């Protein structure tokens, strides 16, 4: 058991460093969210598009949305693309035949997502506080639960996509969905009306709602967390059934 854990931790370290040393991955996971945070938190963009609730500071809203974008960047788009090309070049198959095993490969990737997420939260959180984030109104428990649930849901579907589509298709679909999640999917901004109600039942919408509840209201959005849990279970079951290492 100890040897298995040691192998998974070693794979986690390798996967994490691969992300942090890759310019494209770093751009997607950290630099773009940071640019969005500074842009929304220091300008009147949110107010101009009607996404700033009365009495709430723009940095508070920006932080909630950008944390969601950061999760989607590493858990869905980044990990999905990396896994797809690892599959293309036979890396997954080779690792699965080593003592690490298929479970260790997946465990290492999940660990890397969590490790990079810690870095993202530290950098984005520090930047947000410099820009005036009111941490007294933030629910730490609600934020952590939302981040973990969102990462679990998105990584399960990212892995499913990477294990069933060609790498080129994964690259295109992952980037397109990242844009849609951030723009109209309820991740960065809340959506109103019927579209908002539908979006809240999707992973990005539920994640955005859960983070806004935690960061803006200091609350835990249990319904949104339940939605994310359901998506995680469904995605994991489908990935277990359809994911191909070849």
């Amino acid at each position: 058991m100890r040897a298995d854990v040691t192998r998974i931790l070693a794979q986690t370290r390798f996967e994490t460093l691969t992300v942090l040393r890759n310019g494209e991955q770093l751009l997607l996971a950290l630099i773009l969210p940071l640019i969005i945070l500074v842009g929304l938190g220091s300008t009147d963009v949110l107010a101009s598009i009607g996404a700033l609730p009365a009495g709430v500071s723009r940095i508070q809203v920006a932080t909630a949305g950008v944390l969601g974008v950061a999760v989607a960047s590493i858990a869905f788009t980044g990990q999905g693309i990396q896994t797809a090309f690892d599959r293309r070049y036979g890396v997954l198959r080779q690792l699965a035949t080593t003592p690490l095993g298929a479970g260790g490969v997946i465990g290492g990737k999940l660990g890397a997502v969590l490790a990079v997420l810690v870095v993202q939260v530290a950098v984005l959180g520090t930047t947000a506080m410099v820009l005036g984030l009111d941490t007294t109104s933030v629910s730490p428990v609600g934020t952590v639960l939302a981040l973990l649930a969102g990462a679990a849901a998105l990584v399960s579907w990212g892995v499913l996509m990477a294990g069933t589509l060609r790498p080129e298709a994964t690259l295109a679909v992952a980037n397109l969905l990242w844009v849609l999640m951030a723009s109209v999917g309820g991740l960065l901004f809340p959506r109103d009306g019927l579209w908002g109600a539908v979006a809240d039942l999707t992973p990005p919408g539920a994640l955005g709602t859960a983070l806004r509840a935690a960061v803006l209201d200091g609350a835990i959005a249990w319904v949104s967390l339940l939605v994310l849990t359901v998506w995680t279970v469904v995605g994991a079951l489908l990935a277990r059934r359809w994911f191909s290492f070849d």
Side-chain angles (χ1 to χ4, degrees):
M1 177 64 73
R2 178 176 295 180
D4 292 340
V5 173
T6 300
R7 293 188 189 103
I8 293 174
L9 290 177
Q11 184 64 20
T12 295
R13 180 176 181 276
F14 173 78
E15 296 274 356
T16 302
L17 292 177
T18 297
V19 172
L20 296 178
R21 290 171 177 171
N22 184 297
E24 293 179 2
Q25 290 272 37
L26 195 61
L27 174 67
L28 182 67
L30 195 58
I31 297 177
L32 283 179
L34 192 59
I35 291 174
I36 296 172
L37 176 65
V38 174
L40 295 181
S42 57
T43 67
D44 294 324
V45 172
L46 289 170
S48 66
I49 63 176
L52 186 63
V56 180
S57 70
R58 58 196 180 193
I59 188 58
Q60 216 77 17
V61 177
T63 300
V66 168
L67 285 177
V69 170
V71 173
S73 297
I74 183 58
F76 182 78
T77 305
Q79 195 55 244
I81 293 172
Q82 181 179 328
T83 302
F85 282 94
D86 283 350
R87 174 176 168 240
R88 152 71 68 82
Y89 297 122
V91 175
L92 295 183
R93 172 56 63 190
Q94 291 177 11
L95 288 175
T97 60
T98 68
L100 181 65
V105 173
I106 301 301
K109 288 186 173 296
L110 293 176
V113 168
L114 294 178
V116 175
L117 184 58
V118 169
V119 175
Q120 289 175 306
V121 172
V123 173
L124 295 173
T126 300
T127 303
M129 285 188 285
V130 170
L131 293 175
L133 176 70
D134 179 13
T135 57
T136 61
S137 66
V138 178
S139 168
V141 174
T143 302
V144 170
L145 288 176
L147 291 172
L148 292 178
L154 290 172
V155 79
S156 67
W157 286 88
V159 168
L160 172 62
M161 175 180 61
T164 54
L165 300 179
R166 295 177 58 187
E168 295 82 2
T170 299
L171 178 63
V173 172
N175 282 310
L176 174 61
L177 289 179
W178 184 85
V179 173
L180 292 177
M181 285 190 288
S183 58
V184 298
L187 189 60
L188 191 55
F189 311 115
R191 314 306 301 184
D192 298 323
L194 179 60
W195 181 253
V198 173
D200 282 345
L201 298 178
T202 67
L207 175 57
T209 298
L211 284 171
R212 283 187 288 273
V215 177
L216 273 62
D217 305 321
I220 300 176
W222 294 109
V223 173
S224 297
L225 294 178
L226 177 60
V227 170
L228 290 169
T229 301
V230 171
W231 279 101
T232 300
V233 172
V234 173
L237 290 175
L238 292 176
R240 182 176 181 180
R241 172 65 179 85
W242 296 108
F243 186 90
S244 172
F245 281 83
D246 296 317

